[in-house]
Amino acid sequence: MKRTILLILLISPIIVFGQQRGNWGGNRGGGQQKVQGKITGTITDETTGAAVEFATLVLKDPKTKKDVTGGISDESGEFKLYAPIGTYELQIFFIGYDQLNVPIKMTPQSPDVNLGKVKMKSNSTELEEVVIEGEKELVESKIDKLVYNAERDVANAGGNAADVLRRAPLLSVDLDGNVSLRGSQNIQILINGKPSSMMASSPADILSVLPADEIKSVEVITTPSAKYDGEGSAGIINIITKKKKLEGISGNINTSVGTRQNNLRMGLNTGKGRFGFNMNGGSYFSWPREGTSDFERLDQVEGQTRSFTENGASDSYRLGFYGSGGAFYDFNAYRSINSTFRIRGFNSGNDGSYVTRYNDPINSVDQNYIRYTDNTRLNSGFEWNIDYTNKFAGSPGREFTVSYKLDGNVSNNESLIQQEDLIGSDIELFRDEINDNESDNRENTFQIDYTHPFGKLVTIETGAKMVLRSVISDYQFDTLDQANNVYVSDARGTDVFTYNQDVTAGYFSSNWKFGENYGLVAGVRYERTDFDGSFDEISNDFADGYENFLPSIIFSRKLPKFRTLKLSYTRRIQRPGLRYLNPYTQLDNNRNVSLGNPEILPELTDQFEINYNTFIKKSVVNLSVYYRNTTDVIENFLDVNDEGVSVTTFRNIGKRNSVGSNLFLSTKLFKIWTIRGGLNVFTYDASGVVDGVALSNNAVLFSGNLNTNITFKNDWVVDAGGFFQGRRQTLQGYNQAFRIFYMGMRKQIWDKKGSIGLRIVEPFVVNKKFRSELEGENYTQTSVRAIPFQSFGINFSYRFGKFKSSGQRRSKIKNDDQGSGGDDRSQGF
């Protein structure tokens, strides 16, 4: 009942705003709606005849001087605007060209106006002073985010989404596919503004199967406004794919084959008038690769040293598929409906053998045995969403949207464990077990959003949202009964865990312009979280809830010569994701186990940031300084019990402060050579009391990347680059730094409809080693992994058909309110 009343209160102002007319920007005439006309044309360079893409168009009323509507030209220089019949002035702007003012007259007899080719005169003086030279910049700075236009980066050909994120500003991606934003993994990753249960539980799988050629841009949002969900204490990453409203039929084929990974993607797009449809499908496969591992743990008990060492090798593989389809229909110029459906599936495995030595002098135990493991992980899921959008005639920017999303995910993790004694000292060392976890996730999301501009200076955004989640995790642990040669259930690792989480939210955000040079985005978001969990076999049920007010404010100042200064503050929440909570215990190693923790609390982060962005001739410079304070920090925490078993779970370890600075540079030399790179330096200062013991740790950490490409004649492009992530620090220790070097080339063919390329990763290093160290109250633990990383591959792409592009459609639903767990170890969710 309380949630129902709350939702009504949140929706009421939206309904009131949506029904306002008259002075609120609706139909001021009060009479019959005027007939809508259409203005079309193609903007070209007066000298070269080339299309001028992304030019700004503003249609003005010559009497009132007010904007009626507007837009931008597409990649072909084409544009399409709708407006009530009447007399107008069309203003066309683009940096480096003289402004054009075109008179427009639409009558009831001839409501449509086709301007044909609209020629713009180049202004050579401005082109020397401004970085933008007739195309989008590779990286754009906006008031609340950085936008990396990945489709314009030739280095991305043949890679996957993880490769794209490694080149984006402020981001880093480690060996296992874990993504960090300015050193923190507490982020949310969206695809076209929407999350998925698969992304929440296993981001590495999604990133590995999503081809780089499908990504249009990546939005890096370090200070999300109130309209975004409160989750993601470090920020939000929004991956925008290449989906457009089309006129005509087109398709594409992209494939890459290599010594490490292979992928294939195909797509078909069609559109006619007010209806459009698209579908895409693809698959990913990595060849099996052998890795080695060395592990040592030493712990002190009663003044004596207990040791556990393990050395072995394993073969791993990963494959997956995905498919998507979407359709839209425009009822008229103001009302439209959009729907998408996605399916995906992943399969990964790891077979290993490990020689183990365990020595416990206190209890006179000396064991030497070999352990065989066969781990498989299957995930499959679907997503369906539908959005209805209503715009308002005579009020550009005013919009009301209703959205619904259904998300489902099923996973199965199975481990087969066999263990044999090597020295005949302990019959109990024999093991033949099956550890299995099946889970089923369901998620329903309801959302409404309303945007209302008040003239040119103020825009109000408000909305409400409800997310209903339900998860069932069925975990089973079976051991072999040697006498009867049958597997029997072991109650120590067998149960069914049911978890429900409901989030109700509402937000209010305002965007203010003060003259030409000052801007302000301020708002607040309210979120109420209710959750409960229960077990079938044990009496450990729980239920609780909490509520949070999450303010945000961004102040922007435009300075002369294309410089911008921004000051911001935001409060974010990091709820424990479902992977954090699942109590399923991974028992494939009986002396090194891991499990989730249903009792952990969310963490809260307050962040302050100063950002400076400037264009210097042909270079972009973006510099930020930030301070971040987090309470109830969630981290992996390891304990060694009296039996010599290390148990890793998630804990609230205390508080963490971080002061950092990041720098991004991009420049173009000699019109053919692009160089860009970034550096992030920050502190880690954590402290807390865990199990009655005061702990603290601090470090200075850094990460960065450097990329370059050169465009030669005859459509040849050569690129090279590298990525470095410093060690990842925790309260107990660190994981070793990670780096990648790559190089490649690409040639466009068949009138630029196709391309073929070569890609090399780590040409001089075959295997990479990764070291991690942990230290507890009475133990030290060190592990080293070595994995083949060198790869060679070729890629091919081809586009067919003809179409006209006229904008992009994305769902309004953004369920960015859960943590992913920080690593790639699935725990059944």
Side-chain angles (χ1 to χ4, degrees):
M1 184 63 182
K2 289 172 60 179
R3 190 181 299 120
T4 302
I5 295 174
L6 174 61
L7 191 58
I8 292 173
L9 292 174
L10 292 172
I11 294 175
S12 297
I14 301 174
I15 297 174
V16 171
F17 272 126
Q19 292 178 342
Q20 293 289 339
R21 297 293 180 183
N23 294 331
W24 297 97
N27 184 358
R28 298 176 182 175
Q32 185 176 359
Q33 174 67 45
K34 289 184 178 182
V35 175
Q36 292 292 307
K38 180 173 64 175
I39 306 169
T40 57
T42 303
I43 304 175
T44 62
D45 186 291
E46 182 181 65
T47 303
T48 66
V52 178
E53 49 188 275
F54 309 114
T56 300
L57 301 102
V58 178
L59 191 66
K60 285 184 172 290
D61 187 319
K63 295 181 181 179
T64 64
K65 303 299 182 181
K66 291 185 176 181
D67 297 347
V68 177
T69 187
I72 61 172
S73 59
D74 64 16
E75 290 89 342
S76 303
E78 298 179 354
F79 65 89
K80 184 186 298 183
L81 301 176
Y82 294 91
I85 59 174
T87 301
Y88 303 101
E89 181 181 74
L90 178 62
Q91 297 181 351
I92 306 175
F93 310 87
F94 194 74
I95 295 177
Y97 291 86
D98 292 335
Q99 177 181 327
L100 275 182
N101 299 312
V102 182
I104 301 292
K105 185 176 182 180
M106 297 185 292
T107 66
Q109 293 78 18
S110 302
D112 296 338
V113 176
N114 186 351
L115 298 176
K117 289 188 176 181
V118 181
K119 299 179 180 180
M120 298 191 73
K121 184 178 180 180
S122 175
N123 183 324
S124 59
T125 302
E126 286 191 16
L127 281 174
E128 290 300 317
E129 298 176 351
V130 180
V131 178
I132 303 174
E133 295 180 308
E135 64 176 28
K136 271 188 178 180
E137 277 304 296
L138 203 60
V139 176
E140 298 177 281
S141 178
K142 300 187 177 182
I143 189 170
D144 61 343
K145 60 194 168 189
L146 287 174
V147 180
Y148 168 51
N149 293 304
E151 66 177 345
R152 294 191 168 274
D153 192 343
V154 296
N156 288 322
N160 56 33
D163 299 319
V164 174
L165 296 187
R166 288 188 177 107
R167 297 185 181 94
L170 315 186
L171 303 183
S172 58
V173 185
D174 68 13
L175 170 68
D176 297 318
N178 303 311
V179 184
S180 299
L181 171 54
R182 297 200 294 205
S184 174
Q185 294 186 15
N186 292 335
I187 58 176
Q188 286 301 312
I189 303 176
L190 311 177
I191 298 179
N192 293 328
K194 301 183 297 295
S196 71
S197 56
M198 178 68 77
M199 183 64 80
S201 63
S202 185
D205 285 327
I206 290 284
L207 296 177
S208 64
V209 80
L210 181 61
D213 295 325
E214 190 176 326
I215 298 176
K216 177 181 177 65
S217 61
V218 177
E219 298 175 348
V220 182
I221 309 171
T222 59
T223 309
S225 64
K227 69 179 180 180
Y228 291 97
D229 288 343
E231 188 68 23
S233 56
I236 293 173
I237 301 169
N238 190 17
I239 299 173
I240 308 300
T241 58
K242 297 176 181 178
K243 292 185 178 179
K244 302 174 181 178
K245 179 181 175 183
L246 306 173
E247 291 284 346
I249 299 176
S250 71
N252 59 80
I253 299 173
N254 297 271
T255 184
S256 65
V257 179
T259 58
R260 291 294 170 212
Q261 63 183 31
N262 314 272
N263 64 64
L264 172 67
R265 181 176 68 87
M266 295 181 289
L268 180 66
N269 306 273
T270 182
K272 181 65 175 177
R274 298 193 301 270
F275 175 77
F277 174 78
N278 66 79
M279 59 181 181
N280 294 275
S283 62
Y284 167 92
F285 170 70
S286 67
W287 300 107
R289 61 180 180 179
E290 181 178 351
T292 62
S293 65
D294 299 287
F295 177 92
E296 181 184 57
R297 188 186 72 228
L298 304 175
D299 55 297
Q300 304 295 321
V301 181
E302 298 179 1
Q304 300 190 62
T305 300
R306 184 167 54 186
S307 64
F308 172 53
T309 60
E310 190 169 74
N311 311 98
S314 63
D315 287 319
S316 62
Y317 68 90
R318 177 180 289 172
L319 59 90
F321 74 91
Y322 77 100
S324 66
F328 68 87
Y329 180 73
D330 293 332
F331 298 99
N332 53 35
Y334 306 110
R335 294 187 295 275
S336 63
I337 191 168
N338 178 49
S339 181
T340 59
F341 182 80
R342 293 185 179 88
I343 57 173
R344 72 263 174 172
F346 304 95
N347 179 18
S348 62
N350 185 292
D351 303 329
S353 61
Y354 309 89
V355 176
T356 302
R357 188 72 183 242
Y358 176 70
N359 181 267
D360 182 358
I362 301 171
N363 298 303
S364 302
V365 176
D366 187 17
Q367 298 175 340
N368 191 10
Y369 56 91
I370 187 169
R371 179 172 59 89
Y372 302 96
T373 62
D374 184 358
N375 303 315
T376 59
R377 184 157 59 97
L378 300 172
N379 288 275
S380 62
F382 69 91
E383 300 170 19
W384 173 68
N385 68 269
I386 185 169
D387 305 303
Y388 171 77
T389 301
N390 186 87
K391 299 181 180 180
F392 297 84
S395 183
R398 187 179 173 199
E399 183 176 289
F400 178 74
T401 305
V402 180
S403 306
Y404 170 74
K405 179 172 179 285
L406 174 64
D407 194 324
N409 192 72
V410 177
S411 66
N412 177 260
N413 296 349
E414 184 178 77
S415 297
L416 305 179
I417 310 106
Q418 292 181 328
Q419 193 167 285
E420 298 176 2
D421 185 13
L422 293 178
I423 58 177
S425 63
D426 196 338
I427 190 62
E428 293 184 2
L429 287 177
F430 176 82
R431 296 178 67 197
D432 194 332
E433 302 162 340
I434 301 175
N435 194 196
D436 181 74
N437 180 207
E438 297 181 359
S439 66
D440 186 0
N441 298 17
R442 288 293 182 270
E443 185 174 292
N444 290 271
T445 304
F446 308 86
Q447 182 171 328
I448 54 177
D449 298 275
Y450 179 67
T451 302
H452 195 125
F454 294 85
K456 297 182 180 180
L457 303 181
V458 181
T459 299
I460 300 298
E461 295 178 297
T462 185
K465 183 175 183 178
M466 178 175 286
V467 184
L468 308 176
R469 297 188 176 98
S470 176
V471 182
I472 299 176
S473 176
D474 185 348
Y475 47 98
Q476 180 83 18
F477 183 49
D478 298 332
T479 60
L480 180 65
D481 182 346
Q482 298 183 58
N484 299 305
N485 198 32
V486 294
Y487 286 94
V488 296
S489 178
D490 189 330
R492 295 176 300 169
T494 301
D495 209 333
V496 177
F497 175 58
T498 301
Y499 181 80
N500 298 296
Q501 184 189 83
D502 300 339
V503 180
T504 306
Y507 71 90
F508 181 87
S509 180
S510 58
N511 191 325
W512 302 75
K513 293 181 180 179
F514 304 98
E516 295 294 326
N517 297 322
Y518 295 90
L520 177 68
V521 178
V524 64
R525 186 179 186 90
Y526 169 81
E527 294 189 350
R528 169 72 191 184
T529 306
D530 294 288
F531 61 92
D532 63 78
S534 61
F535 299 85
D536 283 5
E537 302 297 330
I538 60 176
S539 299
N540 194 22
D541 298 354
F542 59 90
D544 205 346
Y546 48 86
E547 58 186 6
N548 302 95
F549 287 92
L550 307 171
S552 66
I553 184 169
I554 308 171
F555 175 77
S556 176
R557 168 74 163 99
K558 290 183 180 179
L559 302 172
K561 298 182 179 180
F562 301 98
R563 296 175 297 159
T564 304
L565 181 67
K566 292 186 290 187
L567 307 176
S568 64
Y569 162 76
T570 184
R571 169 170 286 188
R572 308 287 293 167
I573 185 174
Q574 187 75 35
R575 292 183 187 86
L578 302 177
R579 292 182 60 201
Y580 292 89
L581 302 166
N582 188 4
Y584 159 67
T585 304
Q586 296 239 5
L587 293 171
D588 55 309
N589 187 335
N590 61 341
R591 294 203 177 275
N592 190 6
V593 302
S594 60
L595 71 160
N597 178 8
E599 298 180 357
I600 54 176
L601 302 172
E603 61 179 38
L604 283 173
T605 297
D606 292 283
Q607 178 177 284
F608 301 85
E609 180 175 353
I610 302 175
N611 176 267
Y612 176 75
N613 189 83
T614 185
F615 294 89
I616 305 174
K617 291 188 177 181
K618 299 179 183 294
S619 301
V620 180
V621 181
N622 187 281
L623 174 66
S624 291
V625 178
Y626 60 90
Y627 168 74
R628 187 185 299 149
N629 173 262
T630 305
T631 57
D632 288 324
V633 174
I634 301 173
E635 284 188 358
N636 283 323
F637 198 86
L638 185 147
D639 282 310
V640 181
N641 62 25
D642 295 337
E643 288 74 33
V645 176
S646 62
V647 180
T648 302
T649 188
F650 293 99
R651 304 282 290 270
N652 293 111
I653 57 99
K655 64 180 181 179
R656 181 178 61 225
N657 292 309
S658 180
V659 177
S661 178
N662 55 261
L663 174 67
F664 176 81
L665 300 170
S666 178
T667 188
K668 197 166 187 176
L669 305 175
F670 315 116
K671 297 184 179 181
I672 64 169
W673 186 9
T674 299
I675 303 173
R676 70 184 187 279
L679 177 65
N680 180 45
V681 181
F682 60 99
T683 63
Y684 174 96
D685 186 1
S687 62
V689 178
V690 181
D691 296 330
V693 179
L695 301 173
S696 64
N697 205 345
N698 58 77
V700 177
L701 309 173
F702 59 95
S703 61
N705 58 29
L706 181 64
N707 304 278
T708 182
N709 62 73
I710 303 176
T711 303
F712 296 97
K713 294 182 178 179
N714 301 319
D715 300 318
W716 279 97
V717 176
V718 176
D719 68 273
F723 159 87
F724 176 81
Q725 176 179 293
R727 68 182 194 181
R728 184 163 59 89
Q729 191 73 39
T730 68
L731 189 64
Q732 292 184 301
Y734 70 91
N735 291 328
Q736 189 176 354
F738 174 62
R739 61 179 64 88
I740 290 178
F741 172 74
Y742 68 88
M743 57 191 303
M745 63 179 63
R746 187 178 67 165
K747 172 72 168 69
Q748 290 186 324
I749 56 178
W750 301 333
D751 295 327
K752 297 185 178 181
K753 292 184 178 180
S755 69
I756 188 168
L758 171 68
R759 180 177 176 81
I760 305 172
V761 177
E762 291 295 354
F764 311 113
V765 179
V766 177
N767 298 298
K768 279 184 170 293
K769 290 187 177 182
F770 302 89
R771 180 186 181 91
S772 68
E773 292 187 5
L774 296 176
E775 182 175 350
E777 183 182 7
N778 61 339
Y779 73 88
T780 58
Q781 176 176 297
T782 303
S783 65
V784 179
R785 290 188 297 165
I787 300 175
F789 227 83
Q790 187 181 78
S791 68
F792 302 85
I794 58 174
N795 55 78
F796 169 79
S797 67
Y798 177 69
R799 296 179 292 109
F800 59 89
K802 296 181 179 180
F803 61 89
K804 299 178 181 179
S805 173
S806 58
Q808 185 172 345
R809 295 166 179 266
R810 302 199 298 272
S811 173
K812 288 290 185 179
I813 291 182
K814 306 175 178 67
N815 286 356
D816 45 358
D817 65 327
Q818 291 188 52
S820 63
D823 60 21
D824 189 36
R825 292 179 301 123
S826 173
Q827 296 189 5
F829 283 81

